[in-house]
Amino acid sequence: MAIRRGRGVAAVNYPTGMNLGGDPSQALVHATPTGNFMVTLSSVDLGQGLKQVMAQICAETLGVLAEQVTIDTADTDTGPHCMGTFASRGTHRIGNAVLRAATEARQVMLEAAAQELEVNASDLETDGKGNIQVKGAPSKSISIFDTALAAHFKQGRSISGRGIFLVPRSYPEVETGAMKPATCYAHACTVADVDVDDETGEVTVVAVKNVFEIGRALNPRMVEQQLVGGSWMGISHALYETTEPYYPNREHGGRDFNEYLMPGPGDIAETEIIVLERPAADGPYGAKGPGEMCANPQIPAIANAIYDAVGVRIDHMPITPERILRALKEKAA
């Protein structure tokens, strides 16, 4: 018996969104009479932090605090159209729609403030703290709160904006079939170190080092959390999770999540995350989206590391001890 150490490397690129008839998303932004802002979406936050990032994008565009923005993900009957939360498209597609809606709302807000200050809207700027001021003369200002009150109850106008982001559809070339399915791609590389017991077939993931290029991290802490969690999911996909096969027949299958095999805290490997920021030309403030990609490169990296350790190539997931032992037996024969 011997414990054999192996190292594997894998790199992937991942398209942001899908080219399904343009892959559109819409957003609506409006101010309340108190100077707070409501963003209405049909997009769903699956726990990845969509609401927080959309609030940041809206606040940055308007020039207000993120705490002044509320994200309403109502439903697909009452909200503006969205293709959905899938294909790592949320930050890019929905973020662009929010940015455009907030840009339109900002212009209306500045026009309302300009009317109160008796200046041109082009001469105004926001200070990011809840005020609108004359460029170069910050003492001449009006709060966004008072601007919203004036717009609603004095000027009779709605501080609101509409936004839609639509990717130009790419049609395949007749001669070659070539097309452009995405406007930007995220990239990742994982290096995995594993120990393989050549008597039992057990695999221990010692360490995983991940490098992700995601455009721009709009919320660095949330990005890090998502990438670490995704790395653990990749390990779980590679070595643990499955609904089939069960032995000796399907009657031995798991009946609930208590019997569904997943790694526990003691199985989690040392994890290192490095984020590279290369802003996307068409991303909201340069962002793409880590999304599904964060759980992808660990799988082939671990498979390559097992091959490096014991010289057998396993091409079915999960890579169980039994499959490793069968492959070692076949190799020896």
Side-chain angles (χ1 to χ4, degrees), residues 17-18 20-28 39-46 48 50 54 71-98 163-166:
M18 299 177 68
L20 300 175
D23 199 16
S25 281
Q26 298 179 1
L28 301 175
V39 179
T40 304
L41 304 170
S42 290
S43 315
V44 177
D45 191 325
L46 302 176
Q48 79 277 37
L50 179 110
M54 294 306 113
I71 306 298
D72 176 25
T73 54
D75 60 54
T76 54
D77 285 332
T78 60
H81 176 258
C82 179
M83 288 293 289
T85 304
F86 61 91
S88 306
R89 67 187 297 280
T91 297
H92 188 271
R93 302 293 200 265
I94 303 162
N96 269 316
V98 169
I164 181 171
F165 183 72
L166 179 68

Side-chain angles (χ1 to χ4, degrees), residues 117 119 123-125 132-141:
L117 295 173
V119 298
D123 294 329
L124 296 178
E125 63 184 4
I132 302 171
Q133 62 193 25
V134 175
K135 298 175 183 176
S139 60
K140 189 171 185 179
S141 65

Side-chain angles (χ1 to χ4, degrees), residues 16 42 46 60-61 81 132 156 216 233 239 274 305:
T16 299
S42 290
L46 302 176
E60 180 70 20
T61 306
H81 176 258
I132 302 171
R216 187 178 181 190
M233 288 177 64
L239 300 176
I274 297 173

